[in-house]
Amino acid sequence: MEIKKEEKLLFLIHQHADPDAVGSAYFLQRRWSGKVASPPGPNRTAQNLLTFLDFQIEDEAEFDRFDRIVILDTPDPSQLDSFSLPEDIEKTIIDHHENSSWDENIFFRDRISCCEIVYEMVNPEKLTTKEGIALIAGILTDTSSLQRGTSRTFSILSEIMDKSGVTLDDVRSILFDRRTYSEKVARLKGAQRSSHLEVNGFIIVKTEIGAFEGSVSSYLLNGGADIALSGSENDDEFRISGRATEDVLQDDIDIGRTFKSIQEEDPEVSGGGHPGAGVLTGEGKLEKYLDLCVEKIIDEIKEKGLGKPKD
Ligand SMILES: [Mn+2]
């Protein structure tokens, strides 16, 4: 990948930006300089990180002021929908998602987080505290608090901790605040309204709530679901957050891939994510799309002949 020193760079990160997107953009912006933009609305942990870093992300961009766009942690162009990316500007995509929809200049590395990739690219001798916080925040959240990761992930993490003096507790206390009353109620209501079914030993749970879909899905996994789908509906728009346990990922369940396949069949919706966590959004009836997600997952379990013992 070739980026010239004198180039004016614009870093773009996906909508609902997470700490991995924010952390990698912050780090490269410090090292290579340039501006960072994202469609509005980072997620809550990313917002906490931005506040700590005192870092500004623009929600608009004047593309003609830049020589190159560097797109981070964003596997699908639809995640940048509110921008109209000009065709004629140089683009470089740095990403760790396996199923990418870009067809140009992808710098892909098989890593758990984008922060690992940008750290390796720069290979810095020293890190500031804020750089350490930013990079570790991305690794911590994309590994689901270190529940997954390769030996490489953990050796990079340990290098970052050594070079910056930042501890995991430092990062946790910045990212995770206590749950608000409304999130707690959403979790309880989500569980109360949920229904589940069992297919070849897999427990699939779905529920409808007003907000906090991701948090509700995580809560349902803790409660016993193998795969959880939580959806909300506002006006004509729906949003579904799907989660799967580490255990079923071993069986080649991939929520991000399933959601992406729904998008491919239905241009009204946008879907994607990781094997263990994905988001499907669009216009239409929530109930219909929740059922479609369940149906797709059941088809996959049956087609692949997957099965889990019930005890
Ligand atoms: Mn990521």
Side-chain angles (χ1 to χ4, degrees):
M1 189 186 59
E2 232 183 288
I3 293 177
K4 293 182 210 83
K5 258 214 143 68
E6 64 280 7
E7 282 183 319
K8 288 202 188 72
L9 301 179
L10 172 67
F11 299 94
L12 291 185
I13 55 178
H14 60 81
Q15 63 182 355
H16 309 301
D18 58 13
D20 189 35
V22 169
S24 43
Y26 175 82
F27 179 63
L28 284 190
Q29 195 272 345
R30 291 285 120 160
R31 298 293 170 149
W32 295 352
S33 76
K35 288 244 177 263
V36 181
S38 165
N43 75 17
R44 192 177 73 191
T45 43
Q47 187 55 59
N48 291 344
L49 178 62
L50 286 165
T51 306
F52 172 82
L53 296 173
D54 195 15
F55 187 51
Q56 282 300 319
I57 291 185
E58 319 279 331
D59 51 23
E60 278 171 39
E62 286 174 49
F63 291 102
D64 50 7
R65 291 177 44 219
F66 300 94
D67 301 315
R68 180 185 295 274
I69 305 179
V70 180
I71 296 165
L72 297 164
D73 197 40
T74 303
D76 198 288
S78 71
Q79 294 171 294
L80 297 170
D81 255 359
S82 64
F83 298 124
S84 332
L85 296 190
E87 290 287 321
D88 52 348
I89 195 165
E90 290 282 340
K91 296 184 198 69
T92 300
I93 291 102
I94 301 175
D95 196 15
H96 68 111
H97 296 85
E98 248 172 69
N99 301 311
S100 183
S101 309
W102 300 97
D103 45 18
E104 55 203 315
N105 292 338
I106 303 182
F107 183 83
F108 167 80
R109 268 191 196 166
D110 187 10
R111 300 285 180 266
I112 309 287
S113 63
C114 203
C115 281
E116 289 161 73
I117 304 179
V118 297
Y119 171 81
E120 285 180 316
M121 289 172 89
V122 174
N123 193 22
E125 258 176 56
K126 284 188 193 149
L127 289 167
T128 64
T129 304
K130 281 188 174 178
E131 287 174 335
I133 298 275
L135 292 170
I136 294 171
I139 296 174
L140 196 64
T141 49
D142 268 25
T143 58
S144 306
S145 293
L146 310 183
Q147 286 185 62
R148 57 170 172 269
T150 61
S151 66
R152 178 144 205 115
T153 310
F154 296 110
S155 76
I156 289 174
L157 177 63
S158 118
E159 278 182 33
I160 297 172
M161 290 170 76
D162 285 341
K163 289 179 189 177
S164 65
V166 169
T167 67
L168 294 178
D169 259 348
D170 294 337
V171 180
R172 279 193 206 104
S173 67
I174 290 163
L175 292 183
F176 308 114
D177 39 21
R178 284 177 43 223
R179 292 184 206 294
T180 58
Y181 175 81
S182 10
E183 182 177 1
K184 288 190 261 190
V185 171
R187 287 182 150 211
L188 294 169
K189 279 192 183 161
Q192 195 178 23
R193 292 177 193 159
S194 70
S195 61
H196 71 272
L197 58 101
E198 178 270 318
V199 182
N200 295 1
F202 289 87
I203 301 172
I204 306 170
V205 181
K206 64 169 182 171
T207 192
E208 295 184 19
I209 24 105
F212 301 106
E213 307 85 10
S215 173
V216 172
S217 284
S218 303
Y219 182 61
L220 293 171
L221 289 192
N222 283 333
D226 291 310
I227 295 152
L229 301 157
S230 305
S232 67
E233 198 173 27
N234 282 311
D235 301 324
D236 284 335
E237 306 244 321
F238 72 88
R239 182 163 201 272
I240 297 172
S241 157
R243 298 276 159 101
T245 60
E246 253 332 276
D247 187 31
V248 301
L249 302 188
Q250 312 298 323
D251 290 309
D252 197 27
I253 294 285
D254 186 331
I255 301 291
R257 187 179 59 207
T258 304
F259 283 4
K260 198 169 173 212
S261 76
I262 296 176
Q263 171 188 299
E264 276 156 13
E265 289 165 18
D266 183 347
E268 295 294 302
V269 304
S270 152
H274 295 278
V279 174
L280 185 76
T281 56
E283 276 183 29
K285 281 270 156 253
L286 171 63
E287 203 185 336
K288 171 185 147 191
Y289 283 99
L290 268 177
D291 288 340
L292 182 63
C293 294
V294 172
E295 203 180 293
K296 285 263 173 198
I297 292 163
I298 295 175
D299 285 351
E300 197 161 338
I301 291 172
K302 291 194 171 156
E303 266 164 32
K304 290 187 176 150
L306 305 177
K308 288 191 114 38
K310 284 198 203 168
D311 273 307

